[in-house]
Short mmCIF file of all heavy atoms in Angstrom, two decimals:
data_model
loop_
_atom_site.label_atom_id
_atom_site.label_comp_id
_atom_site.label_asym_id
_atom_site.label_seq_id
_atom_site.Cartn_x
_atom_site.Cartn_y
_atom_site.Cartn_z
N ASN A 45 -4.17 -5.05 -15.78
CA ASN A 45 -3.10 -4.16 -16.48
C ASN A 45 -2.68 -2.98 -15.64
O ASN A 45 -1.82 -2.12 -15.99
CB ASN A 45 -3.73 -3.51 -17.80
CG ASN A 45 -5.08 -2.81 -17.61
OD1 ASN A 45 -5.33 -2.16 -16.63
ND2 ASN A 45 -5.90 -2.61 -18.60
N GLY A 46 -3.33 -2.73 -14.37
CA GLY A 46 -2.98 -1.70 -13.52
C GLY A 46 -3.40 -0.32 -13.90
O GLY A 46 -3.01 0.59 -13.33
N GLY A 47 -4.14 -0.26 -15.01
CA GLY A 47 -4.68 1.03 -15.51
C GLY A 47 -6.00 1.48 -15.12
O GLY A 47 -6.56 0.93 -14.15
N VAL A 48 -6.47 2.50 -15.77
CA VAL A 48 -7.85 2.96 -15.42
C VAL A 48 -8.82 2.03 -15.61
O VAL A 48 -9.79 1.92 -14.56
CB VAL A 48 -8.02 4.25 -16.22
CG1 VAL A 48 -9.48 4.83 -15.92
CG2 VAL A 48 -7.16 5.38 -16.07
N ASN A 49 -8.80 1.19 -16.55
CA ASN A 49 -9.85 0.19 -16.78
C ASN A 49 -9.54 -1.16 -16.26
O ASN A 49 -9.97 -2.19 -16.94
CB ASN A 49 -10.13 0.09 -18.38
CG ASN A 49 -9.03 -0.40 -19.07
OD1 ASN A 49 -7.78 -0.30 -18.68
ND2 ASN A 49 -9.19 -1.01 -20.24
N LEU A 164 -9.50 8.84 -9.22
CA LEU A 164 -8.72 9.61 -10.31
C LEU A 164 -9.76 10.19 -11.15
O LEU A 164 -10.96 10.13 -10.99
CB LEU A 164 -7.94 8.62 -11.02
CG LEU A 164 -8.45 7.19 -11.46
CD1 LEU A 164 -9.46 7.23 -12.46
CD2 LEU A 164 -7.26 6.22 -11.89
N LEU A 165 -9.36 10.78 -12.19
CA LEU A 165 -10.20 11.44 -13.18
C LEU A 165 -10.72 10.56 -14.31
O LEU A 165 -9.91 9.73 -14.83
CB LEU A 165 -9.47 12.73 -13.83
CG LEU A 165 -9.37 13.91 -12.88
CD1 LEU A 165 -8.33 14.94 -13.51
CD2 LEU A 165 -10.63 14.46 -12.43
N THR A 182 -5.67 17.79 -15.23
CA THR A 182 -5.24 17.27 -16.60
C THR A 182 -6.54 16.63 -17.11
O THR A 182 -7.38 16.19 -16.44
CB THR A 182 -4.20 16.15 -16.36
OG1 THR A 182 -3.85 15.44 -17.68
CG2 THR A 182 -4.54 15.02 -15.41
N ASP A 183 -6.48 16.57 -18.45
CA ASP A 183 -7.67 16.01 -19.21
C ASP A 183 -7.30 14.41 -19.48
O ASP A 183 -8.05 13.74 -20.12
CB ASP A 183 -8.06 16.63 -20.45
CG ASP A 183 -8.77 17.95 -20.20
OD1 ASP A 183 -9.47 18.01 -19.24
OD2 ASP A 183 -8.58 18.95 -20.87
N ASP A 184 -6.06 14.02 -19.21
CA ASP A 184 -5.55 12.65 -19.47
C ASP A 184 -5.92 11.73 -18.31
O ASP A 184 -5.36 11.86 -17.30
CB ASP A 184 -4.04 12.68 -19.78
CG ASP A 184 -3.50 11.32 -20.14
OD1 ASP A 184 -3.94 10.33 -19.61
OD2 ASP A 184 -2.69 11.27 -21.06
N THR A 185 -6.77 10.81 -18.49
CA THR A 185 -7.25 10.12 -17.38
C THR A 185 -6.13 9.18 -16.78
O THR A 185 -5.94 8.93 -15.59
CB THR A 185 -8.46 9.12 -17.76
OG1 THR A 185 -8.02 8.33 -18.82
CG2 THR A 185 -9.57 9.99 -18.16
N LEU A 186 -5.25 8.53 -17.66
CA LEU A 186 -4.22 7.78 -17.14
C LEU A 186 -3.16 8.57 -16.35
O LEU A 186 -2.65 8.26 -15.31
CB LEU A 186 -3.46 7.02 -18.25
CG LEU A 186 -2.28 6.16 -17.84
CD1 LEU A 186 -2.74 5.19 -16.72
CD2 LEU A 186 -1.57 5.45 -18.99
N THR A 187 -2.69 9.84 -16.65
CA THR A 187 -1.95 10.68 -16.11
C THR A 187 -2.66 11.05 -14.76
O THR A 187 -1.93 11.26 -13.74
CB THR A 187 -1.73 11.99 -16.93
OG1 THR A 187 -1.04 11.68 -18.14
CG2 THR A 187 -0.86 13.09 -16.17
N SER A 188 -3.98 11.28 -14.75
CA SER A 188 -4.60 11.51 -13.43
C SER A 188 -4.34 10.56 -12.37
O SER A 188 -4.52 10.90 -11.16
CB SER A 188 -6.08 11.73 -13.74
OG SER A 188 -6.75 10.51 -13.71
N MET A 189 -4.00 9.28 -12.74
CA MET A 189 -3.69 8.25 -11.62
C MET A 189 -2.36 8.79 -10.94
O MET A 189 -2.33 8.75 -9.72
CB MET A 189 -3.37 6.92 -12.29
CG MET A 189 -2.93 5.84 -11.38
SD MET A 189 -2.54 4.24 -12.17
CE MET A 189 -4.14 3.91 -12.68
N ASP A 190 -1.30 9.23 -11.69
CA ASP A 190 -0.13 9.72 -11.00
C ASP A 190 -0.42 10.89 -10.22
O ASP A 190 0.08 11.15 -9.20
CB ASP A 190 0.89 10.10 -12.14
CG ASP A 190 1.31 8.78 -12.94
OD1 ASP A 190 1.27 7.69 -12.46
OD2 ASP A 190 1.71 9.08 -14.01
N VAL A 191 -1.36 11.82 -10.80
CA VAL A 191 -1.61 13.01 -10.00
C VAL A 191 -2.41 12.85 -8.80
O VAL A 191 -2.07 13.25 -7.69
CB VAL A 191 -2.51 13.87 -10.94
CG1 VAL A 191 -2.99 15.20 -10.25
CG2 VAL A 191 -1.70 14.33 -12.22
N SER A 192 -3.33 11.83 -8.83
CA SER A 192 -4.09 11.47 -7.64
C SER A 192 -3.21 10.89 -6.58
O SER A 192 -3.17 11.27 -5.37
CB SER A 192 -5.21 10.57 -8.01
OG SER A 192 -5.94 10.21 -6.76
N SER A 230 -4.94 4.60 -6.75
CA SER A 230 -6.25 5.32 -7.15
C SER A 230 -6.95 4.49 -8.12
O SER A 230 -6.38 3.58 -8.79
CB SER A 230 -5.88 6.66 -7.71
OG SER A 230 -4.85 6.64 -8.77
N HIS A 321 4.20 1.15 -21.43
CA HIS A 321 4.13 2.26 -20.64
C HIS A 321 5.25 1.95 -19.31
O HIS A 321 5.42 0.92 -18.96
CB HIS A 321 2.84 2.51 -19.90
CG HIS A 321 2.60 3.87 -19.31
ND1 HIS A 321 2.98 4.10 -17.99
CD2 HIS A 321 2.17 5.03 -19.88
CE1 HIS A 321 2.74 5.31 -17.80
NE2 HIS A 321 2.17 6.05 -18.82
N HIS A 323 5.02 2.51 -16.35
CA HIS A 323 4.44 2.03 -15.29
C HIS A 323 4.67 0.43 -15.07
O HIS A 323 5.09 -0.01 -14.06
CB HIS A 323 2.80 2.07 -15.22
CG HIS A 323 2.35 3.52 -14.83
ND1 HIS A 323 0.98 3.84 -14.54
CD2 HIS A 323 3.02 4.76 -14.54
CE1 HIS A 323 0.90 5.04 -14.18
NE2 HIS A 323 2.05 5.55 -14.13
N SER A 348 3.70 4.38 -9.69
CA SER A 348 3.16 5.78 -9.56
C SER A 348 3.49 6.38 -8.14
O SER A 348 2.54 6.49 -7.36
CB SER A 348 1.67 5.85 -9.95
OG SER A 348 1.16 7.19 -10.00
#
Side-chain angles (χ1 to χ4, degrees):
N45 62 24
V48 175
N49 65 333
L164 45 71
L165 291 169
T182 178
D183 289 326
D184 186 319
T185 58
L186 182 56
T187 297
S188 79
M189 177 183 293
D190 298 330
V191 174
S192 180
S230 52
H321 196 276
H323 277 192
S348 187

